[in-house]
Amino acid sequence: MSKGLKIVTIGGGSSYTPELIEGFIKYHEELPVSEIWLVDIEAGKEKLEIVGNLARRMIEKAGVNIEVHLTLDRKEALKGADYVTTQLRVGQLAARALDEKIPLKHGVIGQETNGPGGLFKAFRTIPVILDIAHEMEELCPEAWLINFTNPAGMVTEAVLRHSNISKIIGLCNVPIGMERGVADLMDVEPSRVRIDFAGLNHMVYGLDVFVDGESVKNQIIHLITDPAKAVTMKNIHAMGWEPEFLRALNLFPCPYHNYYYKTGDVLAQELKDAEKGETRAEVVQRLEAGLFELYKDQDLAVKPPQLEERGGAYYSDAAVRLICSMHTDKRDIQAVNTVNHGAIEGIPYGSAIETSCVITKDGPKPINVGELPVAVRGLIQQIKSFERVAIEAAISGDYDTALLAMTINPLVPSDRVAKLILDEMLEAHKDYLPQFFEKKELQDNLS
């Protein structure tokens, strides 16, 4: 009898964890998981225990033989792991609130993965993920790292370039959400829908859309010009698209493209929301408080439907489906963040891309796309340049490089505004950015 799989989830106290547990239960016959280790830090201990107890009740109710371990000792958990999933948030939701509010003060969109907010989430997150990668090199060198932590594209690229871990896949629920959105629009089962994706994380386009193997792209492009039918997410207002623009683009944009093609409209909406105390971080803080009250209920033994309001819908389908396909060498097609080995021309060979891949036991194999349409190529290359410079700043703690990254982001209007936002956000997040402040102290001592 083959040994069961050991799964380690770092950030196990997350409100998303019941999604993941539901997925492992759903796929248990194909994916023989025998133990799940949920790991968190001291500040997340209470949530870890609440979520962990719910996970145990869910597994007991489902009648599957999986042991759930809760720990604050990451190294102990990582020993001999087969798959490591990461879903952490350095600084928790309070840090996200700052990422959203501070840029708004300067007339710039505040969002957790785009613009200044995404930059600072990368600054806080990348050093921690690299620490995990280095521990994996020692404790579970054959394990796959499945990263769901945003900004997923930058995290994936940082690990590829700055660790010895090559077995990393970045994962996002946007592609699977878009496919399900198409299924709803066409009133068909999601299994009948396939989208050919290419681009970057939160900057991915549907090159074509199929139902039962037949292209329906033109029909979908027509439908999503209506705000009521736009494929969107809980954290992004549905605004619809100008029909003429979409027809000319001839691609299926993802919800995050609102930030780049509707910058002024999105900024105006965010400012209104902020005045009412309804930034996305504030909304999520209230949602999470309610979710954890639900999770405490000893009679609750399933994932509550209210979790979909959190914005992590289809996480279990995306994450566990991916792991299952790799374990069984299923060779189905899924969109993931992986290394670009020439699949998309115009993006550096070793960079992370988000694209449709054949999922094998040896990992994802990107489907060759070639050159992207000229109308989107420049924007994608600009974002990739931003990501590369941002990663360099996150690791070096160099102020000038951080300012360069902030300034070249297309959502930031000038170097002057970039510097104002950078200085304020560095001070606000000081506790989570030692790489910047330790370097400054060293320079001050040498001067």
Side-chain angles (χ1 to χ4, degrees):
M1 184 174 177
S2 61
K3 169 183 169 290
L5 297 173
K6 178 179 180 179
I7 308 291
V8 177
T9 296
I10 298 174
S14 166
S15 60
Y16 287 134
T17 296
E19 278 271 358
L20 196 62
I21 298 299
E22 181 186 64
F24 285 123
I25 291 170
K26 175 181 174 182
Y27 284 91
H28 194 254
E29 288 190 11
E30 295 178 82
L31 190 66
V33 175
S34 61
E35 49 184 314
I36 298 174
W37 288 68
L38 302 179
V39 185
D40 221 301
I41 59 174
E42 183 64 39
K45 183 178 180 181
E46 181 183 4
K47 287 183 176 180
L48 177 65
E49 291 176 351
I50 292 169
V51 170
N53 288 330
L54 172 57
R56 287 170 173 152
R57 295 194 300 271
M58 291 172 68
I59 287 168
E60 182 180 2
K61 179 180 175 66
V64 296
N65 188 24
I66 302 175
E67 294 181 358
V68 176
H69 301 266
L70 312 180
T71 184
L72 305 182
D73 187 340
R74 191 168 73 201
K75 288 186 176 181
E76 178 64 25
L78 286 173
K79 291 177 183 175
D82 295 292
Y83 294 92
V84 178
T85 70
T86 43
Q87 54 181 35
L88 54 94
R89 183 184 294 279
V90 178
Q92 302 181 318
L93 286 169
R96 176 177 180 172
L98 293 169
D99 287 343
E100 293 175 353
K101 290 180 178 181
I102 292 173
L104 287 176
K105 290 167 58 178
H106 301 277
V108 175
I109 283 174
Q111 210 276 329
E112 71 160 341
T113 60
N114 292 263
L119 178 63
F120 269 80
K121 194 168 196 305
F123 287 170
R124 298 192 303 273
T125 304
I126 285 171
V128 176
I129 294 287
L130 288 177
D131 284 345
I132 293 167
H134 296 322
E135 290 169 1
M136 289 178 63
E137 292 171 20
E138 175 189 353
L139 299 169
C140 51
E142 298 304 313
W144 278 93
L145 173 56
I146 311 297
N147 175 65
F148 200 71
T149 300
N150 278 322
M154 278 195 269
V155 167
T156 303
E157 179 132 347
V159 172
L160 288 169
R161 291 186 179 276
H162 297 279
S163 81
N164 293 320
I165 295 289
S166 60
K167 290 184 171 182
I168 177 171
I169 303 172
L171 198 58
C172 180
N173 63 345
V174 168
I176 194 171
M178 289 172 67
E179 288 183 334
R180 285 179 173 267
V182 168
D184 289 342
L185 286 173
M186 301 297 291
D187 194 24
V188 299
E189 288 297 314
S191 61
R192 295 170 59 188
V193 175
R194 190 187 91 241
I195 301 177
D196 289 344
F197 289 102
L200 307 176
N201 180 236
H202 292 182
M203 180 54 65
V204 72
Y205 293 87
L207 304 182
D208 209 339
V209 186
F210 302 90
V211 173
D212 297 332
E214 291 190 17
S215 176
V216 295
K217 182 172 70 171
N218 291 339
Q219 190 174 350
I220 295 301
I221 285 174
H222 172 72
L223 287 172
I224 63 174
T225 59
D226 180 351
K229 295 181 179 178
V231 178
T232 188
M233 302 175 66
K234 297 294 183 185
N235 59 327
I236 301 174
H237 289 280
M239 293 183 174
W241 299 97
E242 295 298 328
E244 299 85 354
F245 164 70
L246 274 195
R247 287 199 302 267
L249 186 67
N250 198 32
L251 298 170
F252 185 11
C254 81
Y256 284 89
H257 283 115
N258 281 273
Y259 295 109
Y260 300 93
Y261 295 137
K262 296 176 174 291
T263 307
D265 294 339
V266 172
L267 176 60
Q269 184 63 56
E270 285 193 355
L271 289 168
K272 287 180 184 177
D273 291 343
E275 287 178 5
K276 297 183 290 184
E278 293 180 2
T279 63
R280 183 59 188 171
E282 290 167 313
V283 171
V284 169
Q285 284 172 320
R286 293 192 288 269
L287 286 171
E288 285 220 333
L291 282 171
F292 277 97
E293 286 303 311
L294 287 173
Y295 293 172
K296 290 177 185 178
D297 184 353
Q298 296 300 306
D299 294 324
L300 181 68
V302 296
K303 180 195 77 176
Q306 292 92 330
L307 181 52
E308 286 201 12
E309 295 298 316
R310 174 65 181 83
Y314 318 129
Y315 173 25
S316 64
D317 279 342
V320 185
R321 183 181 69 167
L322 172 63
I323 294 172
C324 185
S325 293
M326 292 172 64
H327 181 71
T328 60
D329 198 28
K330 190 167 288 185
R331 296 182 176 268
D332 56 348
I333 296 174
Q334 300 177 35
V336 299
N337 289 265
T338 189
V339 63
N340 182 35
H341 282 162
I344 301 179
E345 294 180 23
I347 296 178
Y349 189 84
S351 279
I353 56 173
E354 185 166 286
T355 194
S356 295
C357 300
V358 178
I359 307 301
T360 76
K361 62 181 175 57
D362 299 314
K365 307 299 179 185
I367 296 170
N368 187 59
V369 172
E371 284 194 348
L372 292 167
V374 67
V376 303
R377 194 182 309 159
L379 177 58
I380 287 175
Q381 289 173 332
Q382 185 178 8
I383 294 296
K384 177 50 67 180
S385 297
F386 159 73
E387 290 182 349
R388 290 282 298 275
V389 177
I391 291 165
E392 182 183 343
I395 293 169
S396 68
D398 183 72
Y399 178 91
D400 293 356
T401 307
L403 180 58
L404 177 62
M406 179 80 80
T407 303
I408 66 175
N409 187 281
L411 298 182
V412 179
S414 72
D415 58 344
R416 182 187 63 81
V417 173
K419 191 175 191 308
L420 290 171
I421 297 173
L422 179 66
D423 290 346
E424 187 169 348
M425 293 186 78
L426 279 172
E427 188 60 34
H429 292 297
K430 186 174 183 177
D431 291 345
Y432 303 106
L433 300 173
Q435 70 271 41
F436 287 95
F437 291 93
E438 288 172 2
K439 180 168 184 169
K440 185 176 184 301
E441 288 174 8
L442 178 61
Q443 290 172 336
D444 290 346
N445 290 336
L446 292 174
S447 61

